[in-house]
Amino acid sequence: MSKFSHILITGASSGIGEALALYYAAAGARRLSICGRNTERLEQVAAACRKYGSEVDAQTLDITNSESVTEWINRCNEQLPLNLVFANAGVATLAETPENVRRTFETNVFGVVNTVLPAIELFKKAPSEQIKHLVITSSIAGYHGMPTCPSYSASKACVKAWGEGLRLALKQFGINVSTVCPGFVRSRITDKNTCPMPFFMEADQAARIIAERVEKNVGLIAFPWQMRLAVWLGSILPNCLSDFIYSRLPYKV
C-alpha cells in the first residue's frame, strides 16, 4: 500500500506516466489526477485505474499553457490535498527543425515549470504533517549533450539540474524532490526511435523502480545502472575524448 493518497501525473496517456498511474492505482491510491494530450488514450488509462478502486480525474490538457495547468492543479488539490506530483509530460524532438526545437523546450522545460511552480505554492501552504513530494522526469540523455538529439538532451539537462537544486532549496519547507533519469523505456517516444536502444525496459518495470525509490525519498533516480555509469563517465571525460565517443553514436534515420 502506497503512503500517497492523492497523486497527480502529467503525461499520463502513455509510457511511464500511464504505467505510474496504473502502479499507484493497483497500490491502493485513493485518488489519481492525470492529464495528457490524447483524450481517448487518457480515458482508457483512467478506466483501467478505476477498476482498482481509485477515484480518477482525467483532464485533456496542453501542458505548455501555464494558466490552464495552474487552474487544474489547484482544482485537483481542492478535491483532496495532493501528496505526490509527477511533472512527467515530455516530447521527442525528431527532426531538429526550428518548430520542433521550440516545441521540445516548451514542453520538456516549460511544461515542467508550469507543473512544478503551482505545486510548490500549494505544498508551502500545506500543513507540516502532510506528505509533499515532487518528481521531475528528466532522462539519461540529460547527462551530456547528445549529437543524436541535441534539443531533447538539453531540455532534459535543464530539468535535471533544476530538480537537483530544488531538492535542497525546498527541504526547509518539508517538500521532498526526486529527479528521474530513465534510459530507454517503451513509450510513444521510443516507438519512433530507429537507433539501437541498449538495456531497453518496459514501462511497467520502469514505473515500479521509480515508485519504489520515490517511496524511499531517493533524490536522483537514474536507471538502468549500466546506462547511468556510461553517461556519467561520458560527462566527466575531457571534451576531446567525449567528442570522439559521442561523434560515433548511430544517428536516427
Side-chain angles (χ1 to χ4, degrees):
M1 177 72 70
S2 173
K3 64 183 179 182
F4 304 106
S5 58
H6 189 184
I7 300 147
L8 183 144
I9 306 169
T10 67
S13 58
S14 64
I16 290 176
E18 174 185 4
L20 284 167
L22 292 170
Y23 176 93
Y24 282 110
R30 177 178 168 186
R31 187 173 182 85
L32 291 167
S33 294
I34 60 176
C35 78
R37 292 173 295 172
N38 187 293
T39 302
E40 182 179 356
R41 291 200 309 267
L42 191 66
E43 286 300 333
Q44 290 172 353
V45 175
C49 291
R50 291 184 183 112
K51 290 180 180 179
Y52 290 104
S54 295
E55 300 173 10
V56 183
D57 172 89
Q59 179 71 46
T60 305
L61 197 63
D62 177 4
I63 206 70
T64 67
N65 186 320
S66 61
E67 291 183 3
S68 297
V69 176
T70 298
E71 180 182 351
W72 176 62
I73 290 175
N74 287 337
R75 177 168 57 82
C76 292
N77 190 69
E78 289 172 0
Q79 300 299 317
L80 182 71
L82 290 164
N83 303 122
L84 178 59
V85 173
F86 283 91
N88 172 74
V91 296
T93 308
L94 303 178
E96 292 277 329
T97 63
E99 180 183 8
N100 285 351
V101 169
R102 291 182 185 279
R103 179 177 62 94
T104 297
F105 283 98
E106 286 170 0
T107 303
N108 295 359
V109 176
F110 291 106
V112 169
V113 170
N114 293 342
T115 305
V116 169
L117 291 183
I120 289 174
E121 291 307 306
L122 289 174
F123 282 162
K124 283 183 176 179
K125 298 173 185 176
S128 58
E129 65 272 14
Q130 180 178 320
I131 298 173
K132 296 162 280 192
H133 203 129
L134 287 167
V135 184
I136 294 174
T137 300
S138 176
S139 169
I140 283 288
Y143 274 78
H144 190 285
M146 306 289 286
T148 56
C149 53
S151 302
Y152 180 80
S153 61
S155 69
K156 292 302 185 178
C158 176
V159 297
K160 176 179 180 291
W162 195 40
E164 290 171 325
L166 283 177
R167 180 172 175 84
L168 297 177
L170 297 177
K171 186 176 181 180
Q172 61 181 308
F173 302 104
I175 302 172
N176 296 324
V177 182
S178 298
T179 304
V180 181
C181 295
F184 293 109
V185 175
R186 188 177 300 282
S187 67
R188 292 176 63 80
I189 291 178
T190 57
D191 285 347
K192 298 175 183 177
N193 281 355
T194 56
C195 60
M197 294 185 285
F199 308 108
F200 186 78
M201 186 179 295
E202 295 297 332
D204 59 345
Q205 182 183 359
R208 184 173 64 254
I209 291 170
I210 293 167
E212 289 175 352
R213 296 184 189 178
V214 166
E215 200 85 14
K216 297 176 182 177
N217 190 25
V218 175
L220 183 60
I221 304 170
F223 61 92
W225 69 265
Q226 300 95 327
M227 289 285 287
R228 181 180 185 179
L229 177 61
V231 296
W232 176 76
L233 288 172
S235 70
I236 64 172
L237 288 174
N239 282 349
C240 59
L241 293 178
S242 61
D243 286 353
F244 176 82
I245 294 170
Y246 284 110
S247 66
R248 281 154 178 76
L249 292 177
Y251 279 72
K252 300 175 185 178
V253 295

